[in-house]
Amino acid sequence: MELPTPAFTVDIDVVKRNTQKMIERFQVLGVRLRPHMKTHKTLEGGNLMTGGTRRGIVVSTLAEARLFADGGFDDILYAYPLPFDKVEECAALTERLEAFQVLVDSQEALGQLMKRRLSRGKRWQVELAGIYAHCGNTYGCSGIAEIQAVAQATTTATLEFMSELQKAGVACPASSIGSTPSCSHPVADMGKLTEVHPGNYIFYDVQQMRIGSCEMEDIAVRVLTRVIGHYPHRNQLLVDCGWTGLSLHSLGQLPTGYALVEGHPDLKLVGMTQEHGRIEPIAGNLDFSKFPLGSLLAVVPYHACATAAMHPAYYVHAQGKVVALWKPVRGW
Amino acid sequence: MELPTPAFTVDIDVVKRNTQKMIERFQVLGVRLRPHMKTHKTLEGGNLMTGGTRRGIVVSTLAEARLFADGGFDDILYAYPLPFDKVEECAALTERLEAFQVLVDSQEALGQLMKRRLSRGKRWQVELAGIYAHCGNTYGCSGIAEIQAVAQATTTATLEFMSELQKAGVACPASSIGSTPSCSHPVADMGKLTEVHPGNYIFYDVQQMRIGSCEMEDIAVRVLTRVIGHYPHRNQLLVDCGWTGLSLHSLGQLPTGYALVEGHPDLKLVGMTQEHGRIEPIAGNLDFSKFPLGSLLAVVPYHACATAAMHPAYYVHAQGKVVALWKPVRGW
């Protein structure tokens, strides 16, 4: 592959395996999978995550909602405390789709919705339709046992809350929890929920691997970068991937710096400017002859959502050939 | 202004003042100003930085080069060690423009250029046309005296190198140094250079203010964000600006966290997810009645280049009214 660099690449076979495994995992548990679109923000990714049904997704922005609604998706949950400037657009989406759900967590937000009556016999989907929780604390885990302990605690808390609601005579049909770590290693009790909503697993990344959600072979994405400078007096390589190509999301705290260089666990991405990356050995002297000017390195992102967000196009490949270009939506 | 949030806003009057001041500063010194486009990446910004001449700019990517060439700009310097995958595109730009300059810092890069002969009687502009240096170490400065010490050292080193070249009989007509800190507070010896190439000063930011390049009133950009949640049990506000709207560029290390909240020096942006920001007081209890749900806060970015890079459009305003929408170029 001789792509212009820096290039965000997606291994479609890995994506298909990741998305198919998640679908099967929750089919077995009898729980609906409502995948989150925020990591990739593409119609193609959404199609794979829903197994082609294009029904039942979560979005983080109205730009995503518009993209997916225009692309034939329906049953869209806008998982965000209703922003007051976006009521009109939420109304338009509710009127247009079979189901568009918003979240409210205050009396004031409910007031905003009540001021905007819907046409076409539609009602705002904000009755107490369900409990939506994100076990974000799985991101502090290390290993499957810790992930499953958090998954269990979140599931138990959610189910107990549902049970209290029922005792109080409050109808609340749905319970949904999410996060890629917990859904990659679900506990049996998650079978008692109605829904899960993970997102990152379409790509996975170094952060998920360190948490224990996945293995290296499950990470579908790379940033391809070229060696553009040799600086022996600094014991450093210069590459054409700066923070516009990777983001600063590990904050440089990995043993290998801001990311992993695939196949070179002895290298460290020590810093980036807007368009340059500086790579040096973790220890010892760099053998520059192994990294000729113009040669390619594959950088494995720490946080795939953040790295994907820096790229206007994804190069999708299968068995070493580019097979598609995916264009994500940006903005709000 | 009732903009949809998060919104990247640009005060056009401040931009005009910043760009005009830089033009005048170097007219007085008799030094050519070759402004860098990487901070804003818009035709409108380039027009103001060149005082309407659209001649003599620096770019950091070929996507910028294409945008500005298509927009009628010429004399473009691609300030980047020539990437071997981009030789053909550099050739096309050189053939098309009056002047398109590339940088080479290795024998191999020169070899790549020599393999690609130019048509239309054009020559690669890579004779030793000049010395190009970036006094990036000004970014470690605090205060004008420190900035000027670095500016002096860089200028002296550059001029001494030029003088050695002359002694050795090597023709090298141009000397160019840059960085917004040094060009905001130039030393007299910079008048002996042929060129300077700062970029960030079009917007300035909190980082530049802390270095001493500018004052708060010179910072032209904000991220407008809305209060979307009150969480008294955590003593926190939730706002609709996450890292997709701001970037993580201060790494959270400011006394006020990831940025400054304008008019509220007592607030700290303590963390962000993809689409949410969490704000709490630096000390004491938050008075939530001052920040009603739906109200706006203006966040002053730590690094304007990085924050601008997250936005598909800039809302340009004058005296409280939106007067234009600028669309930056992205990618490579």
Side-chain angles (χ1 to χ4, degrees), chain A residues 179-205:
Chain A
S179 96
T180 281
S182 59
C183 294
S184 297
H185 301 292
V187 291
D189 269 2
M190 285 169 71
K192 300 176 188 164
L193 301 166
T194 44
E195 200 175 274
V196 289
H197 50 257
N200 175 284
Y201 69 93
I202 183 174
F203 291 158
Y204 284 121
D205 54 30

Side-chain angles (χ1 to χ4, degrees), chain A residues 3-6 38-39 41 60-61 64 79-86 105-106 108 226 228-229 231 238-241 243-245 248-249 251 258 274-276 293-294 303 305-306 309-312 330-332, chain B residues 3-6 38-39 41 60-61 64 79-86 105-106 108 226 228-229 231 238-241 243-245 248-249 251 258 274-276 293-294 303 305-306 309-312 330-332:
Chain A
L3 293 177
T5 48
K38 77 181 183 68
T39 300
K41 305 194 184 206
S60 69
T61 65
E64 291 164 50
Y80 206 76
L82 181 80
F84 293 2
D85 57 320
K86 296 181 176 69
D105 70 348
S106 70
E108 290 94 326
R226 258 188 184 74
I228 55 169
Y231 300 97
L238 197 69
V239 296
D240 68 356
C241 176
W243 49 255
T244 56
L248 292 183
H249 271 248
L251 307 184
Y258 283 91
Q274 189 160 340
E275 298 292 346
H276 308 85
L293 291 176
H303 188 176
C305 313
M310 307 308 288
H311 289 262
R330 296 282 167 246
W332 293 274
Chain B
L3 293 178
T5 48
K38 77 181 185 68
T39 300
K41 304 193 183 206
S60 68
T61 65
E64 291 165 49
Y80 205 74
L82 181 80
F84 293 2
D85 58 319
K86 296 180 176 70
D105 71 347
S106 70
E108 291 94 325
R226 260 189 182 73
I228 55 169
Y231 299 98
L238 197 70
V239 296
D240 68 356
C241 176
W243 49 254
T244 55
L248 291 184
H249 271 248
L251 307 185
Y258 284 92
Q274 189 160 341
E275 298 292 346
H276 308 84
L293 289 176
H303 188 177
C305 314
M310 306 309 286
H311 289 263
R330 296 283 167 245
W332 293 274

Side-chain angles (χ1 to χ4, degrees), chain A residues 37-307:
Chain A
M37 302 291 117
K38 77 181 183 68
T39 300
H40 59 92
K41 305 194 184 206
T42 63
L43 294 175
E44 297 89 341
N47 201 45
L48 290 167
M49 290 178 102
T50 58
T53 68
R54 302 195 164 212
R55 292 295 175 276
I57 60 171
V58 186
V59 298
S60 69
T61 65
L62 288 184
E64 291 164 50
R66 287 189 297 271
L67 171 82
F68 289 102
D70 292 348
F73 285 67
D74 209 321
D75 188 359
I76 299 176
L77 171 67
Y78 177 36
Y80 206 76
L82 181 80
F84 293 2
D85 57 320
K86 296 181 176 69
V87 174
E88 185 51 41
E89 207 177 346
C90 287
L93 282 160
T94 307
E95 287 166 351
R96 171 182 170 194
L97 294 172
E98 264 187 57
F100 182 74
Q101 301 174 51
V102 301
L103 304 185
V104 296
D105 70 348
S106 70
Q107 198 66 38
E108 290 94 326
L110 203 58
Q112 295 281 327
L113 291 186
M114 288 172 71
K115 280 198 290 187
R116 173 58 166 85
R117 286 189 167 276
L118 298 179
S119 65
R120 305 201 198 175
K122 293 279 184 165
R123 296 177 61 189
W124 286 106
Q125 302 262 331
V126 287
E127 312 96 297
L128 185 54
I131 303 300
Y132 187 96
H134 173 66
C135 35
N137 47 343
T138 48
Y139 282 76
C141 292
S142 177
I144 296 176
E146 283 185 36
I147 291 172
Q148 292 196 320
V150 175
Q152 184 64 57
T154 312
T155 305
T156 302
T158 304
L159 293 172
E160 280 175 2
F161 190 65
M162 298 289 284
S163 151
E164 291 298 317
L165 285 173
Q166 198 172 20
K167 275 190 225 163
V170 178
C172 176
S175 54
S176 183
I177 73 163
S179 96
T180 281
S182 59
C183 294
S184 297
H185 301 292
V187 291
D189 269 2
M190 285 169 71
K192 300 176 188 164
L193 301 166
T194 44
E195 200 175 274
V196 289
H197 50 257
N200 175 284
Y201 69 93
I202 183 174
F203 291 158
Y204 284 121
D205 54 30
V206 171
Q207 184 178 23
Q208 294 291 347
M209 183 173 64
R210 285 166 62 90
I211 291 167
S213 310
C214 68
E215 304 290 330
M216 182 70 179
E217 65 189 31
D218 303 317
I219 305 178
V221 295
R222 302 287 186 276
V223 177
L224 281 191
T225 184
R226 258 188 184 74
V227 177
I228 55 169
H230 284 174
Y231 300 97
H233 61 290
R234 293 205 308 253
N235 200 29
Q236 281 183 342
L237 292 175
L238 197 69
V239 296
D240 68 356
C241 176
W243 49 255
T244 56
L246 187 66
S247 88
L248 292 183
H249 271 248
S250 78
L251 307 184
Q253 299 304 304
L254 294 172
T256 55
Y258 283 91
L260 279 184
V261 182
E262 188 169 27
H264 299 284
D266 49 329
L267 292 182
K268 182 170 181 174
L269 179 59
V270 291
M272 287 176 285
T273 65
Q274 189 160 340
E275 298 292 346
H276 308 85
R278 288 176 288 114
I279 292 178
E280 63 186 36
I282 290 174
N285 286 324
L286 193 60
D287 179 357
F288 287 91
S289 70
K290 285 190 186 163
F291 307 99
L293 291 176
S295 62
L296 288 174
L297 293 172
V299 175
V300 192
Y302 177 74
H303 188 176
C305 313
T307 300

